[in-house]
């Protein structure tokens, strides 16, 4: 197949979440044909899973400009730019209408099972770059199909792979057998069944990001209404000045307030903290309750439930026949990884980036959105929109626009980064005291308030 023929093929976008649909809108704007493949039954299926959680970014920060242009002629009314949507609001008032406008270019109930070059496995060099991509899919009824594409933009996110509670990155001993009492999502305590699960119970919350803050705040509210409700906050570090985030110094006020709510939960006695605790095992007692055991042998008092909020991971499995260039630690594109590596980043925002940082040895394939950040917990929805603007410009042959930065990220007033593994948190910022209010809180999106940043 020659280049001119390949150029007539669609660009396959994997995932109909915020960044995937923004990619489709940008492709339409450029006169290119998108084909969005979404495993779920509706737009923003992953977002709907945390529909009860309020974003800490406003509507103004989570609507893509090209998407808004597509929506405007339909009579769509932009929500108040200064207000904060929930995940459900984002999905129903923006993502679903956008998918509806895109029409038949979005296919739901379609799971991507593999991506390759036509007639070439990953070993073959000859003529590789001239061949289109083949995208293997499976419909909800089990029917298989193969789609030919000129390029592939993977915006499938990381929501389906939450990290375990084991400190070494693998499930703690006993974690799998205790699965019925371990949740990897922020609980919706307005749901009567979920509320009953935690009301009057002792719950361990594992994690130090915005998701953990949210869970602590929710459980603290429940504790004021249901006697006996208590949270045990499991932290791998000590509590220091930066533990609760930027507070009033955070230029995303709702995010700063979230950290302060978590702090209040501890100070008011609704939550207690187990610090320097790196989980190695989960044991079930004779009464059915769970005991968490640390690598140093410490054993916590029994808990009824565990909420594990330790981040998310990308799934690169369907790219097994594609030559990706991924950082060995973060599983992010190799040129992007140094910009977002939490081992070395201590302050400020991530520099806006595009096609150059997101390219791989395999030309024409891109990971975008939260998927592009691998295991790094620092993703901004606005950053994802800038990513796809740049990539679609490059696919349209407009290299000048692709390399131009069209996004100015807000200063957050917080520091991120993992810092030194074994040092107290108030000494961890590798750049020293470079910000007025250092924090381990992710440099945030407004998308699910989770330790992954989500989108």
């Amino acid at each position: 197949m020659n280049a001119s023929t390949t150029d007539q093929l669609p660009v396959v976008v994997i995932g109909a979440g915020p960044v995937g649909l923004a990619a489709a809108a940008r492709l339409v704007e450029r006169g290119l044909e998108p084909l969005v493949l979404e495993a779920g039954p509706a737009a923003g299926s992953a977002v709907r899973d945390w529909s009860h959680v309020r974003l800490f970014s406003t509507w103004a920060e989570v609507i893509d400009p090209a998407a808004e242009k597509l929506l405007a002629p339909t009579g769509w009314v932009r929500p108040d730019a200064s207000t904060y949507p929930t995940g459900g609001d984002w999905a129903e008032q923006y993502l679903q209408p956008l998918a509806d406008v895109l029409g038949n270019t979005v296919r739901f109930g379609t799971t991507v099972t593999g991506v390759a070059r036509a007639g070439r496995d990953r070993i073959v060099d000859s003529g590789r770059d001239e061949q289109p991509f083949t995208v293997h899919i499976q419909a909800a009824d089990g029917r298989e199909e193969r789609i030919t594409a000129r390029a592939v933009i993977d915006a499938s996110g990381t929501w389906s792979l939450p990290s375990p509670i084991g400190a070494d990155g693998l499930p703690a001993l006993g974690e799998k057998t205790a699965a019925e009492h371990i949740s990897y999502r922020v609980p919706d305590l307005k749901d009567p069944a979920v509320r009953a699960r935690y009301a009057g119970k002792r719950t361990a919350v594992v994690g130090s990001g915005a998701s953990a803050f949210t869970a602590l705040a929710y459980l603290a509210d429940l504790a004021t209404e249901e006697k006996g409700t208590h949270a045990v906050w499991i932290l791998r570090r000590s509590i220091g000045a930066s533990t609760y985030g930027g507070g009033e110094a955070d230029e995303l006020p709702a995010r700063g307030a979230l950290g302060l709510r978590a702090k209040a939960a501890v100070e008011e006695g609704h939550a207690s903290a187990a610090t320097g605790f790196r989980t190695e095992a989960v044991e079930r007692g004779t009464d059915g309750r769970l005991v968490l055991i640390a690598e140093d042998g410490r054993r916590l008092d029994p808990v009824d439930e565990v909420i594990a909020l330790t981040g998310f991971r990308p799934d690169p499995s369907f790219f097994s026949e594609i030559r990706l260039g991924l950082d060995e630690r973060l599983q992010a594109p190799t040129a992007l990884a140094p910009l977002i590596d939490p081992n070395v980043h201590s302050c400020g925002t991530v520099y806006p980036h595009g096609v150059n940082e997101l390219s791989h040895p395999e030309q024409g394939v891109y990971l975008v959105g939260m998927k592009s950040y691998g295991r790094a917990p620092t993703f901004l929805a606005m950053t994802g929109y800038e990513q796809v603007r740049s990539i679609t410009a490059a696919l349209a042959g407009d290299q000048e626009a692709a390399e131009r930065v069209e996004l100015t990220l807000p200063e957050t007033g917080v520091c991120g980064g993992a810092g030194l593994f074994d040092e107290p948190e108030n000494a961890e910022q590798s750049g020293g005291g470079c910000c007025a209010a250092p924090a381990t809180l992710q440099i945030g999106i407004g998308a699910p308030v989770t330790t992954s940043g989500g989108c």
Side-chain angles (χ1 to χ4, degrees):
M1 186 175 288
N2 59 45
S4 61
T5 305
T6 301
D7 288 347
Q8 303 306 309
L9 296 172
V11 176
V12 164
V13 178
I14 305 173
V19 179
L21 292 175
R26 292 288 180 176
L27 289 165
V28 170
E29 184 179 54
R30 287 284 181 173
L32 303 177
E33 179 187 354
L35 177 58
V36 183
L37 306 176
E38 166 59 45
S45 291
V47 173
R48 293 172 190 270
D49 281 350
W50 48 270
S51 60
H52 58 291
V53 178
R54 190 166 299 281
L55 281 64
F56 48 71
S57 288
T58 64
W59 273 111
E61 296 164 322
V62 296
I63 295 175
D64 177 71
E68 187 169 6
K69 289 179 184 177
L70 274 183
L71 286 165
T74 70
W76 178 78
V77 178
R78 177 183 179 136
D80 184 344
S82 65
T83 60
Y84 297 85
T86 63
D89 296 336
W90 203 15
E92 289 295 335
Q93 298 179 40
Y94 169 63
L95 298 178
Q96 192 61 54
L98 179 55
D100 293 342
V101 169
L102 290 165
N104 293 333
T105 63
V106 183
R107 294 174 59 174
F108 298 108
T110 304
T111 301
V112 174
T113 59
V115 179
R117 286 284 189 180
R120 309 288 194 278
D121 62 24
R122 72 182 295 153
I123 299 174
V124 178
D125 291 332
S126 177
R128 187 175 191 85
D129 289 345
E130 287 72 46
Q131 296 303 311
F133 292 95
T134 57
V135 181
H136 293 238
I137 63 174
Q138 185 174 46
D141 61 5
R143 179 175 47 86
E144 296 180 326
E145 185 181 344
R146 186 174 66 184
I147 296 169
T148 307
R150 64 172 292 187
V152 177
I153 299 174
D154 180 10
S156 60
T158 58
W159 183 248
S160 63
L161 283 180
S163 295
I165 63 175
D168 59 2
L170 297 174
L173 297 176
E175 181 172 350
K176 293 180 180 179
T177 58
E180 64 182 298
H181 292 289
I182 302 178
S183 170
Y184 298 86
R185 305 286 189 255
V186 174
D188 180 4
L189 298 182
K190 293 181 180 179
D191 181 319
V194 176
R195 183 184 177 92
R197 179 174 178 176
Y198 299 101
K201 304 290 181 60
R202 181 178 168 88
T203 300
V205 177
V206 187
S208 61
S211 285
F213 290 174
T214 304
L216 290 170
Y218 285 2
L219 291 172
D221 289 344
L222 183 62
T224 64
E225 302 170 5
E226 298 284 351
K227 185 179 180 180
T229 303
H230 188 78
V232 182
W233 188 16
I234 311 299
L235 289 158
R236 293 175 184 172
R237 302 183 190 148
S238 61
I239 291 181
S242 64
T243 300
Y244 300 103
E248 295 180 0
D250 196 323
E251 288 193 11
L252 292 177
R255 185 180 60 191
L258 181 62
L260 295 177
R261 287 185 67 193
K263 183 178 182 181
V266 174
E267 292 179 344
E268 293 170 8
H270 300 308
S272 53
T275 61
F277 194 98
R278 299 187 174 99
T279 308
E280 181 177 73
V282 180
E283 287 186 359
R284 187 189 293 268
T286 56
D287 60 356
R289 303 179 81 198
L290 304 179
V291 175
L292 273 61
I293 304 169
E295 291 178 339
D296 61 9
R298 279 185 294 161
R299 302 170 65 92
L300 295 183
D301 291 337
V303 298
D304 301 286
E305 298 288 337
V306 175
I307 301 175
L309 301 169
T310 52
F312 294 83
R313 302 173 176 191
D315 177 11
S317 61
F318 54 76
F319 282 121
S320 62
E321 296 306 314
I322 291 295
R323 299 172 179 179
L324 297 181
L326 297 178
D327 179 76
E328 66 274 10
R329 294 163 298 172
L330 299 185
Q331 295 176 285
T334 51
L336 174 62
L339 303 179
I340 61 175
D341 187 351
N343 288 293
V344 296
H345 276 271
S346 61
C347 294
T349 57
V350 175
Y351 183 79
H353 53 274
V355 68
N356 291 335
E357 293 83 1
L358 297 168
S359 293
H360 293 273
E362 194 83 63
Q363 298 179 28
V365 61
Y366 305 96
L367 310 184
V368 299
M370 195 63 233
K371 186 76 170 273
S372 71
Y373 271 44
R375 298 193 186 195
T378 54
F379 185 69
L380 276 163
M382 290 184 293
T383 298
Y385 297 158
E386 173 69 0
Q387 288 178 340
V388 296
R389 183 206 62 78
S390 172
I391 288 168
T392 54
L395 290 173
D398 189 348
Q399 197 62 28
E400 187 276 330
E403 296 181 358
R404 185 173 65 238
V405 175
E406 294 188 3
L407 172 66
T408 301
L409 293 171
E411 290 295 330
T412 63
V414 300
C415 297
L420 303 176
F421 185 73
D422 287 314
E423 292 298 317
E425 190 173 353
N426 59 9
E428 279 181 350
Q429 306 305 327
S430 56
C434 55
C435 294
T440 55
L441 182 63
Q442 75 220 59
I443 297 174
I445 53 179
V449 282
T450 65
T451 50
S452 76
C455 104

